[in-house]
Amino acid sequence: MGKPTLGNPQNTIEILKKYQFSFQKKFGQNFLIDTHVLDKIIRAADIGKDDMVLEIGPGIGTMTQYLAEAAGKVIAVEIDRNLIPILEDTLGSYENVRIINEDVLKLDLRKLVQDENGGKPVKVVANLPYYITTPIIMGLFEGDVPVSSITVMVQKEVAERMKSGPGNKDYGALSLAVQYYADTYLVANVPPNCFMPRPKVGSAVIRLTRHERPPVEAEDEKLMFDIIRAAFNQRRKTLANGLNNSDRLDFSKETIVNAIERLGKGTGVRGEALTLKEFADLSNYLAGTRT
Ligand code: SAM
């Protein structure tokens, strides 16, 4: 095994030159060039030799080198085939790394974890391509991929939305979806100068630790998430109107108003005032009216 070398910007520039690599904007390519940030991510991900790590978008392999040092095994999924010869070079001395040249959104990750780790939960660590942050994270949770934690670099605003609660302007469907599946912990804010090229937006590392079981009980998860989506689709409307106007829901206005009143809320309440527990209760009341 070698020592990680790519956190140093000079070495990154050399590799990029050696392979005449050109960044592809459409793939959200902003490579990390800051060893302090890399150390922080690895520490927050809490990886040991018993762990298998799934990295999404290894780029030239900068973080992969750190992960390979810490973990038992690393599976890195990279869409850009121009990066594959580079990864073979930068990761060549690590025997515990497997690179898969694929679009992560097209891979059956559940099967991958089954085949590579006997179905035992893996830790996901990544500096994510920002244009597909939500589908990646929700795909991991909703697709029942065995994952114990997800430690990822995301756009700062997205990290804010993931960890927000009622009464906060960032609170919305993403906050509730993420918090239904995981505990959130903001590891660090990361400025644009830690990347090459510099992104136009601020970034943050967030750790999502998967709950063993959801913190609330929704009899019909799909109904609860349809209600949440309807509640935030029309943020300025009252919750009752938002639910009444949704194509996905077919409850009468009266049934909706009664259910909101059962929560102990006034009929003028907006969705953004409800906690996850209240959304679960509301969906259970509404599910009860169907039987
Ligand atoms: N991990 C590297 C680092 O920190 O320097 C690169 C991070 S860069 C923000 C995102 C990476 O994800 C790029 O290497 C990009 O090519 C890759 N990527 C983009 N879309 C992808 C997809 N659908 N599936 C797999 N990888 C993807």
Side-chain angles (χ1 to χ4, degrees), residues 2-46:
K3 272 259 155 281
T5 52
L6 291 170
N8 173 335
Q10 213 44 52
N11 295 342
T12 290
I13 291 168
E14 250 170 50
I15 285 282
L16 296 175
K17 270 202 188 136
K18 178 174 167 191
Y19 288 89
Q20 298 184 332
F21 178 77
S22 357
F23 289 99
Q24 297 222 50
K25 229 178 171 178
K26 67 170 180 189
F27 289 145
Q29 292 176 338
N30 300 95
F31 297 165
L32 264 169
I33 48 164
D34 187 296
T35 51
H36 298 293
V37 175
L38 286 155
D39 284 335
K40 258 190 207 166
I41 296 173
I42 301 299
R43 235 178 297 133
D46 187 26

Side-chain angles (χ1 to χ4, degrees), residues 103-123:
D103 177 346
V104 71
L105 295 179
K106 294 195 179 138
L107 265 186
D108 183 345
L109 294 175
R110 220 179 122 84
K111 181 169 182 305
L112 183 70
V113 175
Q114 186 59 47
D115 295 348
E116 296 282 346
N117 207 34
K120 245 182 63 200
V122 297
K123 293 182 174 169

Side-chain angles (χ1 to χ4, degrees), residues 158-172:
V158 175
E160 298 293 343
R161 278 162 49 202
M162 287 181 183
K163 68 183 186 64
S164 262
N168 190 303
K169 70 170 176 34
D170 299 314
Y171 186 54

Side-chain angles (χ1 to χ4, degrees), residues 27-32 55-60 62-63 77-80 83 102-105 127-129 131-132:
F27 289 145
Q29 292 176 338
N30 300 95
F31 297 165
L32 264 169
E55 185 188 11
I56 296 160
I60 59 169
T62 309
M63 193 155 72
V77 181
E78 174 55 61
I79 195 171
D80 185 352
L83 287 167
E102 253 296 358
D103 177 346
V104 71
L105 295 179
N127 170 14
L128 286 179
Y131 72 107
I132 43 170

Side-chain angles (χ1 to χ4, degrees), residues 66-86:
Y66 285 71
L67 293 170
E69 293 281 339
K73 187 169 175 183
V74 182
I75 306 277
V77 181
E78 174 55 61
I79 195 171
D80 185 352
R81 67 185 157 84
N82 293 331
L83 287 167
I84 305 304
I86 304 185

Side-chain angles (χ1 to χ4, degrees), residues 204-223:
V205 179
I206 192 163
R207 182 186 152 118
L208 311 175
T209 311
R210 191 164 178 142
H211 298 307
E212 294 216 339
R213 52 173 52 198
V216 297
E217 263 178 49
E219 285 162 31
D220 181 343
E221 261 180 30
K222 183 181 170 303
L223 174 64

